[in-house]
Amino acid sequence: GIQVEQSPPDLILQEGANSTLRCNFSDSVNNLQWFHQNPWGQLINLFYIPSGTKQNGRLSATTVATERYSLLYISSSQTTDSGVYFCAGSSNDYKLSFGAGTTVTVRA
Amino acid sequence: GAVVSQHPSWVICKSGTSVKIECRSLDFQATTMFWYRQFPKQSLMLMATSNEGSKATYEQGVEKDKFLINHASLTLSTLTVTSAHPEDSSFYICSARAQPRSGANVLTFGAGSRLTVL
């Protein structure tokens, strides 16, 4: 299956700061999603973004499919942004392979 | 939007017993559902693909006789952990593929089921 590498593994931010999370894929993907896992374990789908750029409020994501990477931007971070962010991708079988996650801690 | 419901959200059982976890797509039909397992502080690992009306396909290293999957309808898949042992304690999450009008194949995840085997 596809190998997914996420960086950084941990990120500590001061409230109001901006940050960038990165995801590299070992092969081409036609399904790429970013998730936020809340403290109770629920995976919240942030973006479905196999290519291009999308924005949703303070979050935005960009995928450069030809170079097999995706970026998640968090602007003006808030304490509620804390949690684990996962990216996941699949090729033609919809079986998502997950990265190891980035644990984000936003301090007030 | 598409909603996937899992039940129970948490369960505690004695070693040697079997536990069934249900995964339902509430407002869409899902011919395919996926079961993942997540150990503390780790990522999600795909266990198996559940196919409506046919046998599930398991990932390498996952015991099919240990983790029984049944996908009897287009809205329900069940995972049964048979003869559970403490090492089976984990967070089990299901997902299903909904196809919105845009054609995008977004996977929606349930809230997960936390299993603790004593």
Side-chain angles (χ1 to χ4, degrees), chain A residues 6 30-31 33 35 37 39-45 48 54 84 86-87 90 93-101, chain B residues 4 34 36 38 41-46 49 57 59 91 93 97 99 103-112 114:
Chain A
Q6 279 189 253
N30 60 10
N31 180 358
Q33 293 180 240
F35 299 92
Q37 189 169 38
W40 298 272
Q42 171 77 64
L43 281 172
I44 309 299
N45 182 50
Y48 169 82
K54 290 185 178 179
V84 183
F86 289 103
C87 66
S90 68
D93 55 9
Y94 310 112
K95 296 194 292 186
L96 285 178
S97 295
F98 280 75
Chain B
V4 174
F34 303 93
Y36 290 81
Q38 184 181 30
K41 305 291 186 183
Q42 294 187 23
S43 187
L44 283 76
M45 297 300 295
L46 180 65
T49 302
T57 54
E59 296 300 303
F91 192 55
I93 312 173
R97 183 166 66 93
Q99 289 184 284
N105 296 304
V106 178
L107 283 182
T108 302
F109 284 76
R114 194 167 302 280

Side-chain angles (χ1 to χ4, degrees), chain B residues 49-105:
Chain B
T49 302
S50 171
N51 304 297
E52 188 268 336
S54 64
K55 292 182 179 180
T57 54
Y58 292 80
E59 296 300 303
Q60 189 173 8
V62 179
E63 302 174 57
K64 61 180 181 180
D65 295 329
K66 173 76 169 176
F67 300 100
L68 300 180
I69 291 173
N70 186 300
H71 194 155
S73 78
L74 287 171
T75 59
L76 173 64
S77 175
T78 60
L79 169 69
T80 301
V81 183
T82 62
S83 187
H85 291 285
E87 58 266 30
D88 298 323
S89 298
S90 187
F91 192 55
Y92 294 88
I93 312 173
C94 72
S95 70
R97 183 166 66 93
Q99 289 184 284
R101 294 174 188 168
S102 65
N105 296 304

